[in-house]
Amino acid sequence: QVQLVESGGGSVQTGGSLRLSCAASGRTFSSDRIGWFRQAPGKEREFLAAVTWSSGSPGYADSVKGRFTISRDNTKNTVYLQMNSLKPEDTAVYYCASRRLGAATYDYWGQGTQVTVSS
């Protein structure tokens, strides 16, 4: 059974940093791409970044490029999202998700972790 468990959320002030973790288990992820998303109250879910597990190749949404960095540690089966220069508009629930390479949609999701940025 595939499980994705996020951690590392919390409350920070504007300009602060957080590192989110996504611990993955239940299958071999070498053929997967792992993504980070967020959803703020009243807004649609937003794609932030993704990384190909096997190669480490990252991709970012324009809204977070230069502030957020995605990485993975194959030895720990964990994907990270380093978030710097946080703004109040970054306040949301952050989710990680996985999909097979070539698949159109992410099929496994974590439960989410809350990030709150205060001014």
Side-chain angles (χ1 to χ4, degrees):
Q1 180 180 354
V2 175
Q3 277 196 316
L4 301 172
V5 180
E6 303 96 336
S7 61
S11 297
V12 295
Q13 292 190 327
T14 298
S17 298
L18 282 174
R19 188 178 79 158
L20 306 183
S21 299
C22 173
S25 63
R27 74 179 183 197
T28 302
F29 290 90
S30 58
S31 298
D32 280 49
R33 193 157 171 86
I34 308 296
W36 282 98
F37 298 76
R38 69 185 177 191
Q39 188 165 22
K43 295 189 176 181
E44 292 188 352
R45 187 170 59 204
E46 176 188 11
F47 167 79
L48 302 175
V51 64
T52 298
W53 194 278
S54 56
S55 66
S57 174
Y60 298 93
D62 288 342
S63 59
V64 301
K65 202 173 292 184
R67 294 194 302 129
F68 291 7
T69 302
I70 191 170
S71 62
R72 92 275 189 249
D73 185 335
N74 289 350
T75 65
K76 296 182 179 180
N77 256 28
T78 300
V79 174
Y80 303 99
L81 186 68
Q82 177 67 43
M83 305 187 296
N84 299 327
S85 302
L86 285 164
K87 309 171 185 179
E89 51 264 43
D90 294 317
T91 295
V93 178
Y94 285 68
Y95 300 90
C96 65
S98 69
R99 64 171 175 84
R100 292 299 197 187
L101 294 174
T105 59
Y106 287 81
D107 50 358
Y108 291 99
W109 292 81
Q111 82 289 348
T113 186
Q114 176 71 46
V115 171
T116 303
V117 185
S118 58
S119 57

